[in-house]
Amino acid sequence: MENMSEFNNDRRNFFRINDTVYIDITELNYDEITHVASAIKNPPLTDNESQEKRQLSTIQASLTHLFEQINHTDRQVARALRLLDDKISIVTHMVQRQQNSTDSRTMVESNLSGGGIAFMTDHQYISKATLDLRIELQPSGTIIHTIANVIACDKHYDAPKHAPYYLRLVFTHMSEYDRNFLVKHILSRQAETLRTTEK
């Protein structure tokens, strides 16, 4: 989904989780926005990579449907299959994490949803500034590439001195592939939290 501005008004409808992520931020000027948005919409893929992504997407959709059906008859088996699926994802994305890791990324405790992210930072950004974000999800190491607009960036005087500003962002551009993975990650984290609280 190349443009997510339609989610600005109903972003509160997304599930929200507290999550530790690695993040790399670059502020964009007006001329850079179109170029980065185009790169997000049409990532440079070889024919093989594009075909593999389509195949993975089709398989994942089929697996999700099967998990739901199995869950109606045997929750334990469905849970075991989901864990195996998560394990495969982690192994698959370990290579991606090694390839994409940069020294500029920062680990943050965030409030994350399908529509945006909020976290403490050391830099104060102006309202409506446009940022290029690369968010590395844990434990898979998958990197979500998105453009986000600053909703607010307020100083908290009781916050740590190294990160006194609370930055709230809404995602405006994200590929369908990244968006699907982000939503899956959030739902998985939420289910994990519910299982923990039920024990």
Side-chain angles (χ1 to χ4, degrees):
M1 180 179 307
E2 69 274 14
N3 193 317
M4 295 172 57
S5 58
E6 66 269 23
F7 294 110
N8 287 1
N9 294 328
D10 64 347
R11 63 183 177 273
R12 293 184 185 277
N13 294 334
F14 286 98
F15 290 119
R16 303 191 72 82
I17 59 167
N18 293 322
D19 200 14
T20 302
V21 298
Y22 287 92
I23 195 158
D24 186 24
I25 305 173
T26 305
E27 192 161 1
L28 299 175
N29 63 40
Y30 182 80
D31 294 331
E32 294 170 324
I33 294 170
T34 303
H35 174 72
V36 175
S38 177
I40 288 173
K41 181 182 176 183
N42 303 301
L45 295 173
T46 66
D47 289 340
N48 286 341
E49 286 174 327
S50 181
Q51 184 178 357
E52 286 167 3
K53 280 201 169 186
R54 282 196 299 270
Q55 288 174 336
L56 282 171
S57 182
T58 301
I59 291 168
Q60 191 60 53
S62 298
L63 277 173
T64 301
H65 181 67
L66 284 171
F67 292 159
E68 290 170 1
Q69 289 182 323
I70 294 168
N71 195 51
H72 290 300
T73 56
D74 193 328
R75 289 187 177 205
Q76 288 296 89
V77 171
R79 183 167 181 257
L81 289 172
R82 284 193 187 97
L83 288 172
L84 282 172
D85 184 43
D86 289 343
K87 183 177 180 180
I88 291 168
S89 292
I90 290 169
V91 172
T92 302
H93 293 292
M94 280 176 70
V95 174
Q96 182 184 8
R97 176 170 51 187
Q98 291 169 352
Q99 291 174 342
N100 293 314
S101 290
T102 65
D103 292 335
S104 59
R105 66 186 186 144
T106 305
M107 185 177 77
V108 297
E109 298 295 328
S110 70
N111 186 256
L112 179 65
S113 79
I117 188 170
F119 54 91
M120 303 303 293
T121 182
D122 62 347
H123 182 78
Q124 186 171 28
Y125 296 92
I126 62 169
S127 179
K128 298 184 181 177
T130 302
L131 307 180
D132 180 350
L133 302 180
R134 293 179 189 271
I135 304 167
E136 183 179 316
L137 304 175
Q138 301 301 311
S140 69
T142 300
I143 293 179
I144 303 298
H145 188 193
T146 180
I147 295 176
N149 285 345
V150 176
I151 299 170
C153 189
D154 303 315
K155 186 167 186 175
H156 286 212
Y157 291 95
D158 58 346
K161 288 184 179 180
H162 68 277
Y165 301 103
Y166 189 61
L167 176 61
R168 292 188 296 131
L169 301 166
V170 60
F171 301 142
T172 59
H173 296 77
M174 186 183 293
S175 73
E176 191 68 30
Y177 181 84
D178 279 357
R179 178 163 167 70
N180 287 339
F181 195 94
L182 176 59
V183 170
K184 180 186 172 189
H185 170 83
I186 289 167
L187 291 174
S188 175
R189 279 281 199 245
Q190 187 185 47
E192 185 181 308
T193 301
L194 289 172
R195 284 195 297 270
T196 304
T197 56
E198 286 173 359
K199 289 181 180 178

